[in-house]
Amino acid sequence: MGAAMRRIHVGNALSAFGLGFTVPFLYVYVAQVRGLGSMTAGVVLAVFAVAALVVLPFAGRAIVRRGPLPVLLVALVTASVGALSLGLANSATTVVLSAAALGAGQAVMQPALATMIVDCSSAETRSRAFATQFFLQNLGLGVGGLIGGHIVDTSRAGSFTLLFSIEAAMFLLLVVIMSTVRLPHAPKVEGAPRAEGGSWKQLLGNRAMVRLSVLGFVLFFACYGQFESGLSAYGVEAAGISTSALGTAMAANTAMIVVAQFAVLRFVERRKRSRVIAAVGVIWAVAWLAAGYAGLGHGSQTMATAAFVSTYALFGLGEAMLSPTVAPLVADLAPAGMAGQYNSAFALVKQLALAIGPAVGGPMGASLHGPYVVTFLLFSLGITYLAIRLGRQLTPVQDQPSLARSRVVAQGGPTAAPVGAEA
């Protein structure tokens, strides 16, 4: 990695650390520590999703016109202000406004950082760069939650103020670090459309990107949208899983990602992306079968717990396969200079799935145990179907970037492959 890529990865790790550092404790902080009640706490959590949905469509256009770095710096300052004001807020209005600023800033960070990875990588190195990003994000989330949990004390509001103040200072430190990044080129489009919807019209005309967005929605809806809502409710209500076992299952998910990420990368880099995504659908279908056994089978509690933990571990294996596959594919489908628009659009799809997933899966997982498992088993098989259909819309190099390298080497030319071909 070059110096720019190292700083970008530091940014990814620290932004994820900030998310894990405070978000798990928001409900307790608002409802109990500030005494604003569960209703206000629920609104605050919803505001994070709403803020992301509002700013992401504009973020993509800003990244295309201004470049990812200025947009990232604005997002970091906004998140810093939101974090500090959240730690000092003591009324429902200030808490909601502060959460909106923090949520908007954190939402914009991800497509900006992803676009910087695209600008600092080639088609050959992009899968590994995004795999490293995913690894560091999970590491940052885990470490942030661990450290934050040891700082907070529900009997002392000052401990939460300290927590949010540290997060705000960390974002400002990240501003200093990222200001030193020198991108290899300015990601601007000649004759960029002046009309507000121009670039979105171009994106929607890319059939491969539209299909990838539909596939992405199903991926996030059927996996990430269930982790802390429907699947955990199902485990407790149907399988009798204890809170400690639920924590073990989440740890198994993270451990699988950490252990498998770079081993899986070797396998993924030499295969068609559409086939890899299709395989993830099959793996997640097996995960839902394991969940079904845990809650609907007639085995012992030990077997049910083991099956439930295996469900989370299998999800982690699928996530490790997706990280070097989906994000680089989004970049390769984007025309030159439009990576920011495409990254923001895909982030918007992700946020929609994460907002709808818990709303649908939570009630089903808690009460409709059989239909819940069958529904998401079918969604997983749907991932396989959609991935195979997507493969038909991709060029051979978009589907398997290693073909470009092998062809160029065979012709005796340079190893760099063209980037940003439009479907």
Side-chain angles (χ1 to χ4, degrees):
M1 293 186 294
M5 186 67 81
R6 285 195 295 271
R7 289 176 172 84
I8 293 168
H9 283 319
V10 168
N12 274 303
L14 290 181
S15 63
F17 175 85
L19 190 64
F21 197 54
T22 57
V23 171
F25 315 107
L26 270 176
Y27 184 90
V28 173
Y29 171 67
V30 176
Q32 299 179 11
V33 177
R34 291 301 183 188
L36 299 174
S38 59
M39 184 67 71
T40 303
V43 171
V44 166
L45 294 175
V47 160
F48 270 81
V50 172
L53 295 177
V54 170
V55 300
L56 282 172
F58 302 100
R61 189 162 174 261
I63 291 172
V64 170
R65 289 175 175 262
R66 304 295 182 185
L69 184 55
V71 174
L72 175 63
L73 297 180
V74 171
L76 287 169
V77 172
T78 302
S80 179
V81 171
L84 182 60
S85 58
L86 193 58
L88 299 173
N90 54 16
S91 70
T93 301
T94 53
V95 163
V96 170
L97 291 176
S98 300
L102 179 57
Q106 288 181 330
V108 174
M109 288 179 203
Q110 294 312 307
L113 286 165
T115 305
M116 293 173 72
I117 290 178
V118 173
D119 291 338
C120 293
S121 63
S122 66
E124 295 175 341
T125 62
R126 194 161 294 144
S127 292
R128 187 166 294 272
F130 277 103
T132 303
Q133 177 200 35
F134 186 70
F135 173 84
L136 291 174
Q137 282 178 341
N138 278 274
L139 189 63
L141 285 170
V143 173
L146 181 64
I147 296 177
H150 284 82
I151 291 177
V152 296
D153 181 353
T154 56
S155 64
R156 293 189 301 111
S159 66
F160 285 86
T161 302
L162 175 63
L163 191 77
F164 287 107
S165 298
I166 293 173
E167 183 183 26
M170 182 200 66
F171 285 134
L172 293 179
L173 173 62
L174 196 50
V175 168
V176 176
I177 295 173
M178 300 310 292
S179 297
T180 64
V181 173
R182 296 293 177 264
L183 298 177
H185 66 277
K188 295 181 180 179
V189 181
E190 293 294 333
R194 294 176 180 272
E196 184 174 342
S199 54
W200 282 98
K201 181 178 179 181
Q202 183 181 14
L203 186 152
L204 293 173
N206 187 330
R207 293 180 62 188
M209 182 61 192
V210 171
R211 289 198 174 185
L212 179 59
S213 297
V214 173
L215 174 59
F217 179 88
V218 178
L219 283 168
F220 292 115
F221 177 79
C223 176
Y224 298 94
Q226 305 308 312
F227 268 6
E228 297 177 4
S229 58
L231 190 54
S232 59
Y234 168 83
V236 172
E237 298 294 339
I241 301 299
S242 65
T243 54
S244 61
L246 187 59
T248 300
M250 296 294 291
N253 175 265
T254 303
M256 176 62 78
I257 293 171
V258 171
V259 171
Q261 182 64 85
F262 293 103
V264 165
L265 180 62
R266 289 176 170 272
F267 171 83
V268 168
E269 283 182 321
R270 295 190 291 269
R271 283 161 178 81
K272 292 183 178 180
R273 288 165 167 170
S274 59
R275 300 291 176 83
V276 172
I277 300 172
V280 170
V282 175
I283 292 171
W284 285 359
V286 174
W288 283 108
L289 287 174
Y293 172 79
L296 305 175
H298 301 287
S300 65
Q301 186 60 49
T302 300
M303 292 296 293
T305 300
F308 191 75
V309 171
S310 298
T311 299
Y312 276 80
L314 288 169
F315 274 123
L317 177 60
E319 292 173 74
M321 294 170 66
L322 289 175
S323 63
T325 305
V326 175
L329 180 55
V330 172
D332 288 349
L333 289 176
M338 292 290 291
Q341 184 79 45
Y342 278 56
N343 283 325
S344 295
F346 199 75
L348 180 63
V349 169
K350 177 180 178 180
Q351 288 296 328
L352 282 170
L354 295 181
I356 298 173
V360 174
M364 288 187 68
S367 57
L368 303 174
H369 303 148
Y372 177 69
V373 172
V374 172
T375 297
F376 286 94
L377 172 62
L378 293 176
F379 267 108
S380 297
L381 295 176
I383 291 170
T384 301
Y385 172 76
L386 291 172
I388 293 173
R389 291 287 302 274
L390 173 65
R392 298 171 186 169
Q393 292 290 320
L394 303 176
T395 66
V397 172
Q398 286 172 340
D399 203 12
Q400 189 174 355
S402 60
L403 292 177
R405 181 169 64 251
S406 61
R407 287 175 183 172
V408 173
V409 171
Q411 294 171 0
T415 59
V419 180
E422 183 178 8

